[in-house]
Amino acid sequence: MKLSNQAMGALMMALQKSLLEQTDIVPILQSFEFVKSPETKRWGTSNGELVVKNPPNFTIEQDTSIPEVKRTTGSD
């Protein structure tokens, strides 16, 4: 079996969440509940895929301020 695209996305979201919140990724990964993808007929098949039943979620507050950029011309 291998990870489905959804499961790979859940893994990447776990990494992003732990980086943004500066927390350990291990508890997030340990909480994952894997199930067979709907296309996988039985466990253990070589082309079977796993999906994550409970992928991590988080929100990012959008910063509405735009930093001022000092532009220079090449003649300074």
Side-chain angles (χ1 to χ4, degrees):
M1 292 197 107
K2 59 184 179 179
L3 296 177
S4 65
N5 288 338
Q6 182 272 349
M8 192 64 68
L11 180 64
M12 297 306 292
M13 288 291 290
L15 178 60
Q16 289 294 326
K17 180 178 176 78
S18 68
L19 288 172
L20 286 170
E21 296 176 356
Q22 297 182 354
T23 58
D24 188 6
I25 193 172
V26 173
I28 299 170
L29 297 177
Q30 288 176 329
S31 72
F32 278 4
E33 294 178 27
F34 292 99
V35 294
K36 295 182 301 185
S37 70
E39 296 82 27
T40 301
K41 301 299 178 210
R42 61 186 183 95
W43 287 102
T45 57
S46 60
N47 60 347
E49 292 185 334
L50 296 174
V51 295
V52 177
K53 189 175 172 180
N54 59 335
N57 59 10
F58 60 97
T59 57
I60 301 173
E61 293 183 25
Q62 185 174 355
D63 184 8
T64 56
S65 64
I66 300 172
E68 186 175 328
V69 177
K70 182 179 179 184
R71 299 183 185 268
T72 59
T73 61
S75 61
D76 289 345

